[in-house]
Amino acid sequence: MSGRPSVLFVCVHNAGRSQMAAAWLRHLAEDRIEVRSAGSAPAASVNPAAVEAMREAGIDMSAEVPKILTVEAVKESDVCITMGCGDTCPVFPGKRYLDWTLEDPAGQGVQAVRPIRDEIKKLVEGLIADIESPR
């Protein structure tokens, strides 16, 4: 354990929303928060429109690869944020779970992905403020 708070972003394919959220959190929180992302049925590759939309925001996630959701990833995370994966995320007592309702960028062009990217950024900024606020 790193002693840092940790966040796991989960969506079905781990190709769009969860990858963008993880990239935003890494970028905005730097190394203050440990970041993971995974999918219940990972795609073969990250959504190119999501990669392009994030590149426009100055974040390179072209090297990212969709990962399968594991029980270990959930156990090792303090906060699990789901995005449209329903009940596929295992639930453990003592974990904090959030569900972000976001449009799925799958099959959409970069034009349609930009507002999703911007909405995710706002959610991540709120998450960082919440995690880092004194309890």
Side-chain angles (χ1 to χ4, degrees):
M1 271 316 261
S2 65
R4 297 178 293 168
S6 60
V7 175
L8 169 65
F9 294 102
V10 182
C11 67
V12 176
H13 300 298
N14 189 221
R17 296 166 289 188
S18 56
Q19 289 282 359
M20 289 191 287
W24 274 123
L25 185 55
R26 275 188 206 99
H27 178 75
L28 296 169
E30 294 159 350
D31 62 355
R32 299 187 312 272
I33 298 172
E34 197 174 339
V35 183
R36 296 180 181 88
S37 73
S40 53
S45 61
V46 175
N47 179 334
V51 171
E52 179 57 30
M54 292 302 285
R55 184 178 292 124
E56 290 175 358
I59 298 171
D60 180 11
M61 58 178 224
S62 60
E64 294 299 325
V65 178
K67 294 167 276 314
I68 186 74
L69 176 64
T70 64
V71 169
E72 290 72 34
V74 178
K75 277 186 179 170
E76 292 169 8
S77 301
D78 300 310
V79 182
C80 296
I81 299 174
T82 56
M83 305 169 184
C85 65
D87 299 328
T88 59
C89 191
V91 175
F92 293 98
K95 300 282 174 205
R96 188 166 157 218
Y97 292 88
L98 300 171
D99 186 56
W100 290 355
T101 305
L102 294 159
E103 191 178 336
D104 189 348
Q108 302 202 57
V110 71
Q111 191 77 23
V113 175
R114 286 183 190 117
I116 301 168
R117 171 200 66 200
D118 297 343
E119 188 177 350
I120 290 171
K121 181 183 183 195
K122 287 186 192 109
L123 289 165
V124 167
E125 288 169 338
L127 176 70
I128 293 168
D130 184 54
I131 287 173
E132 294 185 335
S133 70
R135 293 266 180 263

Short mmCIF file of all heavy atoms in Angstrom, two decimals, residues 40-103:
data_model
loop_
_atom_site.label_atom_id
_atom_site.label_comp_id
_atom_site.label_asym_id
_atom_site.label_seq_id
_atom_site.Cartn_x
_atom_site.Cartn_y
_atom_site.Cartn_z
N SER A 40 -15.46 -4.40 -17.40
CA SER A 40 -16.05 -5.72 -17.18
C SER A 40 -15.92 -6.60 -18.44
O SER A 40 -15.88 -7.81 -18.35
CB SER A 40 -17.51 -5.58 -16.75
OG SER A 40 -18.23 -4.78 -17.67
N ALA A 41 -15.86 -5.97 -19.61
CA ALA A 41 -15.64 -6.68 -20.88
C ALA A 41 -14.74 -5.80 -21.74
O ALA A 41 -15.20 -5.10 -22.64
CB ALA A 41 -16.97 -6.94 -21.58
N PRO A 42 -13.43 -5.78 -21.44
CA PRO A 42 -12.53 -4.82 -22.09
C PRO A 42 -12.50 -4.95 -23.61
O PRO A 42 -12.56 -6.04 -24.16
CB PRO A 42 -11.15 -5.16 -21.52
CG PRO A 42 -11.38 -6.05 -20.36
CD PRO A 42 -12.73 -6.67 -20.52
N ALA A 43 -12.41 -3.79 -24.26
CA ALA A 43 -12.29 -3.73 -25.72
C ALA A 43 -10.87 -4.12 -26.11
O ALA A 43 -9.98 -4.26 -25.26
CB ALA A 43 -12.60 -2.32 -26.20
N ALA A 44 -10.64 -4.24 -27.40
CA ALA A 44 -9.30 -4.58 -27.91
C ALA A 44 -8.35 -3.39 -27.80
O ALA A 44 -7.15 -3.56 -27.63
CB ALA A 44 -9.40 -5.05 -29.35
N SER A 45 -8.91 -2.18 -27.87
CA SER A 45 -8.07 -0.99 -27.80
C SER A 45 -8.87 0.19 -27.27
O SER A 45 -10.10 0.13 -27.22
CB SER A 45 -7.50 -0.66 -29.18
OG SER A 45 -8.56 -0.37 -30.07
N VAL A 46 -8.17 1.24 -26.89
CA VAL A 46 -8.82 2.45 -26.40
C VAL A 46 -9.47 3.18 -27.58
O VAL A 46 -8.93 3.20 -28.68
CB VAL A 46 -7.79 3.35 -25.66
CG1 VAL A 46 -8.40 4.67 -25.25
CG2 VAL A 46 -7.26 2.62 -24.43
N ASN A 47 -10.63 3.76 -27.34
CA ASN A 47 -11.39 4.50 -28.34
C ASN A 47 -10.52 5.62 -28.94
O ASN A 47 -10.10 6.52 -28.21
CB ASN A 47 -12.64 5.06 -27.65
CG ASN A 47 -13.53 5.86 -28.56
OD1 ASN A 47 -13.10 6.43 -29.56
ND2 ASN A 47 -14.80 5.92 -28.20
N PRO A 48 -10.27 5.59 -30.26
CA PRO A 48 -9.43 6.62 -30.88
C PRO A 48 -9.99 8.03 -30.72
O PRO A 48 -9.22 8.99 -30.61
CB PRO A 48 -9.38 6.24 -32.36
CG PRO A 48 -9.98 4.88 -32.47
CD PRO A 48 -10.73 4.59 -31.21
N ALA A 49 -11.32 8.18 -30.71
CA ALA A 49 -11.92 9.52 -30.52
C ALA A 49 -11.64 10.03 -29.11
O ALA A 49 -11.42 11.23 -28.90
CB ALA A 49 -13.42 9.47 -30.80
N ALA A 50 -11.63 9.13 -28.11
CA ALA A 50 -11.30 9.52 -26.74
C ALA A 50 -9.83 9.93 -26.65
O ALA A 50 -9.49 10.91 -26.00
CB ALA A 50 -11.61 8.37 -25.77
N VAL A 51 -8.97 9.17 -27.31
CA VAL A 51 -7.53 9.50 -27.32
C VAL A 51 -7.33 10.88 -27.94
O VAL A 51 -6.61 11.72 -27.40
CB VAL A 51 -6.72 8.43 -28.09
CG1 VAL A 51 -5.27 8.88 -28.29
CG2 VAL A 51 -6.77 7.09 -27.35
N GLU A 52 -8.00 11.15 -29.06
CA GLU A 52 -7.88 12.43 -29.75
C GLU A 52 -8.43 13.57 -28.90
O GLU A 52 -7.81 14.63 -28.78
CB GLU A 52 -8.59 12.38 -31.11
CG GLU A 52 -8.54 13.68 -31.89
CD GLU A 52 -7.12 14.20 -32.17
OE1 GLU A 52 -6.18 13.40 -32.28
OE2 GLU A 52 -6.98 15.43 -32.25
N ALA A 53 -9.60 13.37 -28.28
CA ALA A 53 -10.20 14.41 -27.43
C ALA A 53 -9.28 14.75 -26.27
O ALA A 53 -9.12 15.92 -25.91
CB ALA A 53 -11.58 13.95 -26.92
N MET A 54 -8.66 13.75 -25.67
CA MET A 54 -7.75 14.00 -24.56
C MET A 54 -6.46 14.67 -25.06
O MET A 54 -5.90 15.53 -24.38
CB MET A 54 -7.43 12.71 -23.81
CG MET A 54 -8.63 12.13 -23.06
SD MET A 54 -9.36 13.25 -21.84
CE MET A 54 -8.12 13.13 -20.53
N ARG A 55 -6.00 14.28 -26.24
CA ARG A 55 -4.81 14.92 -26.82
C ARG A 55 -5.07 16.42 -26.99
O ARG A 55 -4.20 17.25 -26.72
CB ARG A 55 -4.45 14.29 -28.17
CG ARG A 55 -3.16 14.86 -28.76
CD ARG A 55 -2.77 14.20 -30.08
NE ARG A 55 -2.39 12.81 -29.86
CZ ARG A 55 -2.96 11.77 -30.47
NH1 ARG A 55 -3.93 11.95 -31.35
NH2 ARG A 55 -2.55 10.54 -30.22
N GLU A 56 -6.27 16.78 -27.42
CA GLU A 56 -6.64 18.19 -27.57
C GLU A 56 -6.55 18.94 -26.24
O GLU A 56 -6.31 20.13 -26.21
CB GLU A 56 -8.08 18.32 -28.11
CG GLU A 56 -8.23 17.89 -29.54
CD GLU A 56 -9.68 17.91 -30.01
OE1 GLU A 56 -10.59 18.25 -29.21
OE2 GLU A 56 -9.90 17.59 -31.17
N ALA A 57 -6.76 18.22 -25.14
CA ALA A 57 -6.69 18.82 -23.80
C ALA A 57 -5.26 18.75 -23.24
O ALA A 57 -5.03 19.09 -22.08
CB ALA A 57 -7.66 18.11 -22.86
N GLY A 58 -4.33 18.25 -24.05
CA GLY A 58 -2.93 18.19 -23.63
C GLY A 58 -2.55 16.94 -22.86
O GLY A 58 -1.54 16.92 -22.17
N ILE A 59 -3.38 15.90 -22.95
CA ILE A 59 -3.11 14.66 -22.22
C ILE A 59 -2.97 13.51 -23.22
O ILE A 59 -3.87 13.26 -24.01
CB ILE A 59 -4.24 14.35 -21.21
CG1 ILE A 59 -4.32 15.49 -20.18
CG2 ILE A 59 -4.01 13.01 -20.52
CD1 ILE A 59 -5.52 15.40 -19.26
N ASP A 60 -1.85 12.81 -23.15
CA ASP A 60 -1.60 11.70 -24.06
C ASP A 60 -1.97 10.38 -23.38
O ASP A 60 -1.34 9.99 -22.41
CB ASP A 60 -0.13 11.68 -24.47
CG ASP A 60 0.21 10.53 -25.42
OD1 ASP A 60 -0.73 9.87 -25.93
OD2 ASP A 60 1.40 10.30 -25.65
N MET A 61 -3.00 9.74 -23.88
CA MET A 61 -3.35 8.42 -23.34
C MET A 61 -3.28 7.36 -24.45
O MET A 61 -3.90 6.31 -24.36
CB MET A 61 -4.70 8.43 -22.62
CG MET A 61 -5.89 8.86 -23.40
SD MET A 61 -7.40 8.76 -22.38
CE MET A 61 -8.49 7.99 -23.59
N SER A 62 -2.48 7.64 -25.49
CA SER A 62 -2.37 6.74 -26.63
C SER A 62 -1.73 5.40 -26.27
O SER A 62 -1.94 4.40 -26.95
CB SER A 62 -1.60 7.39 -27.76
OG SER A 62 -0.28 7.73 -27.35
N ALA A 63 -0.95 5.36 -25.19
CA ALA A 63 -0.29 4.11 -24.79
C ALA A 63 -1.16 3.25 -23.89
O ALA A 63 -0.79 2.13 -23.53
CB ALA A 63 1.03 4.42 -24.11
N GLU A 64 -2.33 3.74 -23.48
CA GLU A 64 -3.19 2.99 -22.56
C GLU A 64 -3.81 1.77 -23.26
O GLU A 64 -4.05 1.79 -24.46
CB GLU A 64 -4.30 3.88 -22.00
CG GLU A 64 -3.79 5.00 -21.11
CD GLU A 64 -3.04 4.51 -19.88
OE1 GLU A 64 -3.40 3.46 -19.32
OE2 GLU A 64 -2.07 5.19 -19.49
N VAL A 65 -4.07 0.74 -22.47
CA VAL A 65 -4.65 -0.50 -22.98
C VAL A 65 -5.82 -0.88 -22.07
O VAL A 65 -5.68 -0.82 -20.85
CB VAL A 65 -3.60 -1.64 -22.95
CG1 VAL A 65 -4.19 -2.95 -23.41
CG2 VAL A 65 -2.38 -1.26 -23.79
N PRO A 66 -6.97 -1.26 -22.64
CA PRO A 66 -8.08 -1.71 -21.79
C PRO A 66 -7.68 -2.90 -20.93
O PRO A 66 -6.97 -3.80 -21.39
CB PRO A 66 -9.17 -2.09 -22.80
CG PRO A 66 -8.87 -1.22 -23.98
CD PRO A 66 -7.36 -1.17 -24.04
N LYS A 67 -8.11 -2.88 -19.65
CA LYS A 67 -7.76 -3.93 -18.70
C LYS A 67 -9.03 -4.57 -18.15
O LYS A 67 -10.04 -3.90 -17.98
CB LYS A 67 -6.94 -3.34 -17.55
CG LYS A 67 -5.58 -2.83 -17.98
CD LYS A 67 -4.91 -1.97 -16.93
CE LYS A 67 -5.28 -0.51 -16.90
NZ LYS A 67 -5.34 0.26 -18.11
N ILE A 68 -8.95 -5.84 -17.82
CA ILE A 68 -10.10 -6.57 -17.25
C ILE A 68 -10.26 -6.19 -15.78
O ILE A 68 -9.27 -6.02 -15.05
CB ILE A 68 -9.93 -8.10 -17.40
CG1 ILE A 68 -11.18 -8.86 -16.95
CG2 ILE A 68 -8.72 -8.63 -16.65
CD1 ILE A 68 -12.34 -8.79 -17.89
N LEU A 69 -11.50 -6.03 -15.37
CA LEU A 69 -11.81 -5.74 -13.98
C LEU A 69 -11.52 -6.97 -13.14
O LEU A 69 -11.99 -8.06 -13.44
CB LEU A 69 -13.30 -5.37 -13.86
CG LEU A 69 -13.81 -5.13 -12.44
CD1 LEU A 69 -13.13 -3.93 -11.81
CD2 LEU A 69 -15.32 -4.93 -12.47
N THR A 70 -10.74 -6.79 -12.07
CA THR A 70 -10.44 -7.90 -11.17
C THR A 70 -10.92 -7.58 -9.76
O THR A 70 -11.05 -6.40 -9.40
CB THR A 70 -8.92 -8.18 -11.10
OG1 THR A 70 -8.27 -7.04 -10.54
CG2 THR A 70 -8.34 -8.50 -12.48
N VAL A 71 -11.16 -8.61 -8.99
CA VAL A 71 -11.54 -8.44 -7.59
C VAL A 71 -10.41 -7.72 -6.85
O VAL A 71 -10.66 -6.85 -6.02
CB VAL A 71 -11.84 -9.83 -6.96
CG1 VAL A 71 -11.98 -9.71 -5.45
CG2 VAL A 71 -13.10 -10.42 -7.57
N GLU A 72 -9.15 -8.02 -7.19
CA GLU A 72 -8.01 -7.39 -6.53
C GLU A 72 -8.02 -5.88 -6.75
O GLU A 72 -7.74 -5.11 -5.83
CB GLU A 72 -6.69 -7.97 -7.05
CG GLU A 72 -6.43 -9.40 -6.64
CD GLU A 72 -7.31 -10.43 -7.35
OE1 GLU A 72 -7.67 -10.22 -8.55
OE2 GLU A 72 -7.69 -11.42 -6.71
N ALA A 73 -8.33 -5.45 -7.98
CA ALA A 73 -8.34 -4.01 -8.27
C ALA A 73 -9.36 -3.29 -7.39
O ALA A 73 -9.10 -2.19 -6.90
CB ALA A 73 -8.64 -3.77 -9.75
N VAL A 74 -10.51 -3.92 -7.18
CA VAL A 74 -11.54 -3.31 -6.33
C VAL A 74 -11.07 -3.31 -4.88
O VAL A 74 -11.16 -2.30 -4.19
CB VAL A 74 -12.89 -4.05 -6.47
CG1 VAL A 74 -13.93 -3.43 -5.54
CG2 VAL A 74 -13.37 -4.01 -7.91
N LYS A 75 -10.52 -4.44 -4.42
CA LYS A 75 -10.04 -4.54 -3.04
C LYS A 75 -8.97 -3.51 -2.73
O LYS A 75 -8.91 -2.97 -1.63
CB LYS A 75 -9.45 -5.94 -2.78
CG LYS A 75 -10.45 -6.99 -2.44
CD LYS A 75 -9.74 -8.29 -2.08
CE LYS A 75 -10.73 -9.36 -1.72
NZ LYS A 75 -10.09 -10.68 -1.58
N GLU A 76 -8.10 -3.21 -3.71
CA GLU A 76 -6.97 -2.32 -3.49
C GLU A 76 -7.35 -0.84 -3.62
O GLU A 76 -6.51 0.02 -3.40
CB GLU A 76 -5.85 -2.64 -4.47
CG GLU A 76 -5.22 -4.00 -4.22
CD GLU A 76 -4.30 -4.45 -5.35
OE1 GLU A 76 -4.04 -3.65 -6.27
OE2 GLU A 76 -3.85 -5.60 -5.30
N SER A 77 -8.59 -0.54 -3.97
CA SER A 77 -9.00 0.84 -4.20
C SER A 77 -9.89 1.35 -3.07
O SER A 77 -10.71 0.61 -2.54
CB SER A 77 -9.75 0.95 -5.53
OG SER A 77 -8.91 0.50 -6.58
N ASP A 78 -9.72 2.62 -2.72
CA ASP A 78 -10.54 3.24 -1.69
C ASP A 78 -11.89 3.68 -2.25
O ASP A 78 -12.91 3.60 -1.59
CB ASP A 78 -9.84 4.47 -1.10
CG ASP A 78 -8.50 4.10 -0.45
OD1 ASP A 78 -8.50 3.16 0.36
OD2 ASP A 78 -7.50 4.74 -0.78
N VAL A 79 -11.86 4.17 -3.50
CA VAL A 79 -13.08 4.65 -4.15
C VAL A 79 -13.22 3.93 -5.49
O VAL A 79 -12.26 3.87 -6.26
CB VAL A 79 -13.01 6.18 -4.40
CG1 VAL A 79 -14.30 6.68 -5.04
CG2 VAL A 79 -12.73 6.93 -3.11
N CYS A 80 -14.40 3.37 -5.74
CA CYS A 80 -14.69 2.72 -7.02
C CYS A 80 -15.77 3.53 -7.72
O CYS A 80 -16.85 3.73 -7.16
CB CYS A 80 -15.19 1.30 -6.81
SG CYS A 80 -13.96 0.23 -6.07
N ILE A 81 -15.46 4.00 -8.92
CA ILE A 81 -16.41 4.80 -9.68
C ILE A 81 -16.82 4.02 -10.91
O ILE A 81 -15.98 3.68 -11.75
CB ILE A 81 -15.80 6.16 -10.06
CG1 ILE A 81 -15.45 6.91 -8.77
CG2 ILE A 81 -16.76 6.95 -10.94
CD1 ILE A 81 -14.71 8.19 -8.96
N THR A 82 -18.11 3.71 -10.99
CA THR A 82 -18.63 2.97 -12.13
C THR A 82 -19.28 3.94 -13.11
O THR A 82 -19.79 4.98 -12.72
CB THR A 82 -19.64 1.90 -11.69
OG1 THR A 82 -20.68 2.53 -10.94
CG2 THR A 82 -18.98 0.84 -10.83
N MET A 83 -19.24 3.55 -14.37
CA MET A 83 -19.80 4.37 -15.45
C MET A 83 -20.53 3.44 -16.40
O MET A 83 -19.97 2.98 -17.38
CB MET A 83 -18.67 5.08 -16.20
CG MET A 83 -17.79 5.90 -15.31
SD MET A 83 -16.33 6.43 -16.20
CE MET A 83 -15.46 7.24 -14.88
N GLY A 84 -21.75 3.13 -16.06
CA GLY A 84 -22.56 2.33 -16.97
C GLY A 84 -22.24 0.86 -17.01
O GLY A 84 -22.50 0.20 -18.00
N CYS A 85 -21.65 0.31 -15.94
CA CYS A 85 -21.40 -1.14 -15.98
C CYS A 85 -22.34 -1.91 -15.06
O CYS A 85 -22.17 -3.09 -14.84
CB CYS A 85 -19.94 -1.47 -15.69
SG CYS A 85 -19.38 -1.06 -14.04
N GLY A 86 -23.32 -1.22 -14.53
CA GLY A 86 -24.36 -1.90 -13.76
C GLY A 86 -23.82 -2.67 -12.57
O GLY A 86 -23.03 -2.16 -11.79
N ASP A 87 -24.21 -3.92 -12.46
CA ASP A 87 -23.89 -4.72 -11.28
C ASP A 87 -22.64 -5.57 -11.45
O ASP A 87 -22.40 -6.47 -10.65
CB ASP A 87 -25.07 -5.64 -10.94
CG ASP A 87 -26.32 -4.84 -10.62
OD1 ASP A 87 -26.18 -3.73 -10.08
OD2 ASP A 87 -27.42 -5.32 -10.92
N THR A 88 -21.83 -5.31 -12.48
CA THR A 88 -20.67 -6.17 -12.70
C THR A 88 -19.51 -5.87 -11.76
O THR A 88 -18.60 -6.66 -11.65
CB THR A 88 -20.15 -6.06 -14.16
OG1 THR A 88 -19.80 -4.71 -14.40
CG2 THR A 88 -21.20 -6.53 -15.14
N CYS A 89 -19.55 -4.73 -11.07
CA CYS A 89 -18.46 -4.38 -10.17
C CYS A 89 -18.68 -5.07 -8.83
O CYS A 89 -19.73 -4.91 -8.21
CB CYS A 89 -18.41 -2.86 -9.99
SG CYS A 89 -16.93 -2.30 -9.15
N PRO A 90 -17.70 -5.87 -8.37
CA PRO A 90 -17.87 -6.52 -7.07
C PRO A 90 -17.92 -5.48 -5.95
O PRO A 90 -17.24 -4.46 -6.03
CB PRO A 90 -16.62 -7.39 -6.93
CG PRO A 90 -15.67 -6.95 -7.97
CD PRO A 90 -16.43 -6.18 -9.01
N VAL A 91 -18.74 -5.74 -4.96
CA VAL A 91 -18.93 -4.78 -3.87
C VAL A 91 -18.30 -5.34 -2.59
O VAL A 91 -18.56 -6.48 -2.21
CB VAL A 91 -20.44 -4.50 -3.65
CG1 VAL A 91 -20.65 -3.60 -2.45
CG2 VAL A 91 -21.04 -3.87 -4.91
N PHE A 92 -17.48 -4.53 -1.95
CA PHE A 92 -16.84 -4.91 -0.70
C PHE A 92 -17.21 -3.91 0.38
O PHE A 92 -17.24 -2.70 0.12
CB PHE A 92 -15.31 -4.94 -0.85
CG PHE A 92 -14.82 -6.01 -1.77
CD1 PHE A 92 -14.52 -5.73 -3.09
CD2 PHE A 92 -14.69 -7.32 -1.33
CE1 PHE A 92 -14.07 -6.71 -3.95
CE2 PHE A 92 -14.25 -8.32 -2.18
CZ PHE A 92 -13.94 -8.02 -3.50
N PRO A 93 -17.46 -4.38 1.60
CA PRO A 93 -17.77 -3.47 2.69
C PRO A 93 -16.60 -2.51 2.92
O PRO A 93 -15.45 -2.88 2.74
CB PRO A 93 -17.97 -4.39 3.89
CG PRO A 93 -17.99 -5.78 3.38
CD PRO A 93 -17.44 -5.77 1.99
N GLY A 94 -16.93 -1.28 3.29
CA GLY A 94 -15.90 -0.31 3.62
C GLY A 94 -15.36 0.47 2.44
O GLY A 94 -14.57 1.39 2.61
N LYS A 95 -15.76 0.09 1.23
CA LYS A 95 -15.34 0.83 0.04
C LYS A 95 -16.37 1.90 -0.26
O LYS A 95 -17.54 1.77 0.07
CB LYS A 95 -15.25 -0.09 -1.19
CG LYS A 95 -14.29 -1.22 -1.05
CD LYS A 95 -12.88 -0.75 -1.24
CE LYS A 95 -11.91 -1.88 -0.95
NZ LYS A 95 -10.62 -1.40 -0.56
N ARG A 96 -15.93 2.95 -0.90
CA ARG A 96 -16.85 4.00 -1.32
C ARG A 96 -17.15 3.78 -2.81
O ARG A 96 -16.23 3.62 -3.60
CB ARG A 96 -16.18 5.34 -1.11
CG ARG A 96 -17.11 6.48 -1.33
CD ARG A 96 -16.50 7.74 -0.76
NE ARG A 96 -17.12 8.83 -1.46
CZ ARG A 96 -16.50 9.93 -1.84
NH1 ARG A 96 -15.23 10.09 -1.54
NH2 ARG A 96 -17.14 10.85 -2.48
N TYR A 97 -18.43 3.74 -3.14
CA TYR A 97 -18.83 3.52 -4.53
C TYR A 97 -19.59 4.74 -5.04
O TYR A 97 -20.46 5.26 -4.36
CB TYR A 97 -19.73 2.28 -4.64
CG TYR A 97 -18.99 1.02 -4.36
CD1 TYR A 97 -18.88 0.53 -3.06
CD2 TYR A 97 -18.35 0.31 -5.37
CE1 TYR A 97 -18.18 -0.62 -2.78
CE2 TYR A 97 -17.64 -0.84 -5.10
CZ TYR A 97 -17.55 -1.31 -3.81
OH TYR A 97 -16.84 -2.44 -3.53
N LEU A 98 -19.23 5.18 -6.24
CA LEU A 98 -19.93 6.27 -6.91
C LEU A 98 -20.30 5.77 -8.30
O LEU A 98 -19.54 5.01 -8.91
CB LEU A 98 -19.04 7.50 -7.04
CG LEU A 98 -18.51 8.13 -5.75
CD1 LEU A 98 -17.47 9.19 -6.06
CD2 LEU A 98 -19.66 8.73 -4.95
N ASP A 99 -21.44 6.21 -8.81
CA ASP A 99 -21.81 5.88 -10.18
C ASP A 99 -21.97 7.18 -10.94
O ASP A 99 -22.79 8.01 -10.56
CB ASP A 99 -23.10 5.05 -10.22
CG ASP A 99 -23.40 4.56 -11.63
OD1 ASP A 99 -22.52 3.90 -12.22
OD2 ASP A 99 -24.49 4.87 -12.14
N TRP A 100 -21.16 7.36 -11.97
CA TRP A 100 -21.24 8.55 -12.79
C TRP A 100 -22.03 8.20 -14.05
O TRP A 100 -21.64 7.31 -14.80
CB TRP A 100 -19.85 9.05 -13.17
CG TRP A 100 -19.07 9.63 -12.02
CD1 TRP A 100 -19.51 9.84 -10.74
CD2 TRP A 100 -17.71 10.08 -12.05
NE1 TRP A 100 -18.51 10.41 -9.99
CE2 TRP A 100 -17.39 10.56 -10.76
CE3 TRP A 100 -16.74 10.12 -13.04
CZ2 TRP A 100 -16.14 11.08 -10.44
CZ3 TRP A 100 -15.49 10.63 -12.72
CH2 TRP A 100 -15.20 11.11 -11.43
N THR A 101 -23.13 8.91 -14.27
CA THR A 101 -23.94 8.70 -15.46
C THR A 101 -23.38 9.57 -16.58
O THR A 101 -23.51 10.79 -16.54
CB THR A 101 -25.41 9.06 -15.18
OG1 THR A 101 -25.83 8.31 -14.04
CG2 THR A 101 -26.29 8.73 -16.35
N LEU A 102 -22.72 8.94 -17.52
CA LEU A 102 -22.09 9.65 -18.62
C LEU A 102 -22.48 8.97 -19.93
O LEU A 102 -22.60 7.75 -19.98
CB LEU A 102 -20.57 9.59 -18.49
CG LEU A 102 -19.96 10.31 -17.29
CD1 LEU A 102 -18.58 9.76 -16.98
CD2 LEU A 102 -19.89 11.80 -17.57
N GLU A 103 -22.62 9.76 -20.97
CA GLU A 103 -22.90 9.20 -22.28
C GLU A 103 -21.72 8.33 -22.70
O GLU A 103 -20.57 8.65 -22.44
CB GLU A 103 -23.12 10.33 -23.29
CG GLU A 103 -23.68 9.84 -24.60
CD GLU A 103 -23.95 10.97 -25.58
OE1 GLU A 103 -24.13 12.11 -25.13
OE2 GLU A 103 -23.96 10.69 -26.77
#
